[in-house]
């Protein structure tokens, strides 16, 4: 016998974007459930550096882009959540650093790039006097310029835990290979709605879930969901990175974009500091070195990272540091020109929405868009979802949280 239940919204994919949307939907009265195939946040979310930024990195060329305008107001919105006064109460979730910095070397080009970056976001970037440098830069043995940004950094594993805990009873693990989308028309009819999502429970018994809307927020997994649902309009693209990390008991706290000598719009190096399970301090490195590291052997990329850090910060001791590499795929909505989307984006077809936040910072904006779409199409909230949650809890196990990539065995 096939078990069945009905809900308003089914979200497939349990990273920060999916969990944020689940919180907003359920807080707005919708009956919403989230299905995750693996572990919550296990791919792109926990590969994030956790920076909640206001678009400065997109304005380093001296002009404000659409991406910078889209993202500029989001740090204040996130800060309200961490203060307990925003749309989602994140007051129990720690902030790793209240400030983020931009460090330019002593070269003329670096200083010009940093200057124009700050001018293009006037009022949101402040030069830091040397007497006010944070501890790490106070030890600097070379000249440079330091700017304080409105950005801040969060502990992504804690953020996942907090978002999950608020509605953990609506988050389930599902066998992705068993997913079948049933539509009320032929597969080549774009208007044919998905009526039912079929899957199997761990024992192989069938389960049917009907819903008013199905939202795909599975990052890299969206491409397979789109194909399984027979959708034609939503398309995905991947932009790979190869991040670096290093652990050492001698590292200080560092949260900074390091601006290079050329006129690239990407920081030469973006560094965040994170706790690790063995008690050592961990630096996580992105920026140009990660974008240029795709296809590079681990040993060579680590050597590049060592040389770059030594040139930027010659006063630090990296002799005992343990190094590692982390290849990741950034999943986004496909753009006609192949570029990164300026903001959060979803593509709707029939009653399915394929959604990509593009960046961690944009998760609230993605939820805004989905809620507006539901309102525009008069998708009304059900009065009670107790029966759906009861049925799902009887047939599907709860989804569990993933560990940080560098803490996995």
């Amino acid at each position: 016998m096939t078990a069945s239940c009905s809900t308003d919204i089914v979200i497939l994919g349990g990273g920060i974007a999916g969990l944020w949307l689940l919180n907003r939907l359920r807080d707005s009265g919708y009956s919403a459930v989230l299905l995750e195939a693996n572990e919550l946040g296990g791919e792109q979310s926990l590969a994030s550096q956790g920076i909640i930024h206001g678009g400065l990195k997109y304005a380093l060329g001296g002009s404000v882009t659409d991406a910078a305008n889209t993202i500029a107001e989001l740090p204040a919105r996130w800060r309200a959540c961490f203060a307990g006064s925003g749309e989602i109460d994140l007051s129990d979730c720690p902030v790793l650093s209240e400030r983020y910095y931009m460090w330019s070397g002593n070269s003329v080009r670096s200083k010009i790039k940093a200057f124009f970056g700050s001018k293009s976001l006037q009022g949101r970037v402040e030069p830091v006097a040397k007497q006010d440098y944070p501890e790490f830069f106070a030890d600097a043995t070379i000249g440079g310029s330091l700017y304080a940004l409105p950005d801040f950094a969060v502990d992504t594993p804690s953020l996942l835990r907090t978002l999950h805990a608020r509605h953990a009873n609506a988050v389930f693990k599902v066998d992705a290979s068993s997913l079948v989308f049933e539509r009320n028309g032929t597969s080549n009819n774009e208007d044919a709605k998905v009526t039912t999502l079929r899957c199997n429970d761990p024992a192989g018994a069938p389960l049917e879930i009907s819903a008013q809307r199905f939202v795909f927020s599975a990052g890299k997994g969206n491409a397979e969901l789109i194909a399984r649902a027979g959708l034609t309009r939503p398309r995905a693209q991947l932009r790979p990175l190869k991040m670096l990390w290093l652990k050492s008991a001698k590292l200080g706290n560092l949260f900074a974009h390091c601006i290079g000598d050329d006129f690239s719009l990407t920081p030469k190096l973006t560094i965040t500091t994170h706790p690790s399970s063995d008690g050592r301090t961990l630096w996580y490195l992105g920026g140009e070195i990660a974008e240029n590291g795709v296809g590079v052997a681990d040993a060579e990329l680590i050597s590049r990272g060592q040389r770059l850090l030594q040139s930027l910060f010659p006063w630090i001791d990296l002799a005992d540091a343990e190094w590692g590499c982390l290849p990741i795929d950034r999943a986004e909505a496909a753009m006609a020109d192949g570029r990164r989307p300026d903001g959060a984006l979803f593509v709707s077809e029939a009653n399915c929405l394929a959604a990509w936040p593009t960046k961690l910072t944009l998760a609230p904006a993605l939820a805004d868009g989905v809620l507006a779409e539901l309102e525009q199409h008069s998708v009304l909230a059900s009065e009670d979802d107790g029966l759906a949650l009861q049925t799902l809890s009887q047939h599907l196990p709860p989804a569990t949280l993933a560990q940080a990539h560098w803490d996995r065995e």
Side-chain angles (χ1 to χ4, degrees), residues 14-36:
I16 285 174
L19 287 168
W20 192 284
L21 178 59
L22 178 72
N23 275 262
R24 289 289 308 279
L25 288 170
R26 292 190 64 82
D27 290 350
S28 298
Y30 284 98
S31 168
V33 299
L34 185 149
L35 306 179
E36 167 58 43

Side-chain angles (χ1 to χ4, degrees), residues 241-286:
L241 288 174
K242 194 169 186 179
M243 307 287 283
L244 278 167
W245 57 261
L246 64 152
K247 294 181 183 181
S248 172
K250 299 177 181 178
L251 298 177
N253 286 330
L254 179 56
F255 296 87
H257 298 299
C258 301
I259 308 305
D261 293 338
D262 56 36
F263 287 102
S264 167
L265 301 186
T266 303
K268 176 182 287 190
L269 191 64
T270 294
I271 305 176
T272 49
T273 305
H274 304 262
S276 64
S277 59
D278 62 11
R280 289 180 292 173
T281 300
L282 182 138
W283 282 1
Y284 192 31
L285 313 181

Side-chain angles (χ1 to χ4, degrees), residues 12-13 215-227 236 331 353-356:
L12 294 111
V215 181
F216 304 159
S217 62
K220 187 177 176 180
N222 269 5
E224 181 177 352
L225 292 173
I226 289 166
L353 287 78
W356 298 265

Side-chain angles (χ1 to χ4, degrees), residues 277-363:
S277 59
D278 62 11
R280 289 180 292 173
T281 300
L282 182 138
W283 282 1
Y284 192 31
L285 313 181
E288 281 184 352
I289 192 169
E291 294 194 352
N292 297 335
V294 177
V296 177
D298 286 4
E300 169 59 22
L301 188 58
I302 288 171
S303 179
R304 291 182 190 179
Q306 291 170 334
R307 294 194 300 269
L308 181 55
L309 281 181
Q310 202 60 52
S311 68
L312 290 168
F313 313 120
W315 63 91
I316 61 174
D317 180 5
L318 300 176
D320 69 344
E322 174 191 354
W323 287 76
C325 297
L326 177 60
I328 61 172
D329 287 315
R330 295 169 292 181
E332 303 161 347
M335 307 298 288
D337 54 10
R339 291 187 302 174
R340 173 184 54 218
D342 277 338
L345 188 62
F346 64 86
V347 180
S348 177
E349 182 175 329
N351 60 333
C352 294
L353 287 78
W356 298 265
T358 305
K359 297 188 72 64
L360 167 67
T361 309
L362 289 162

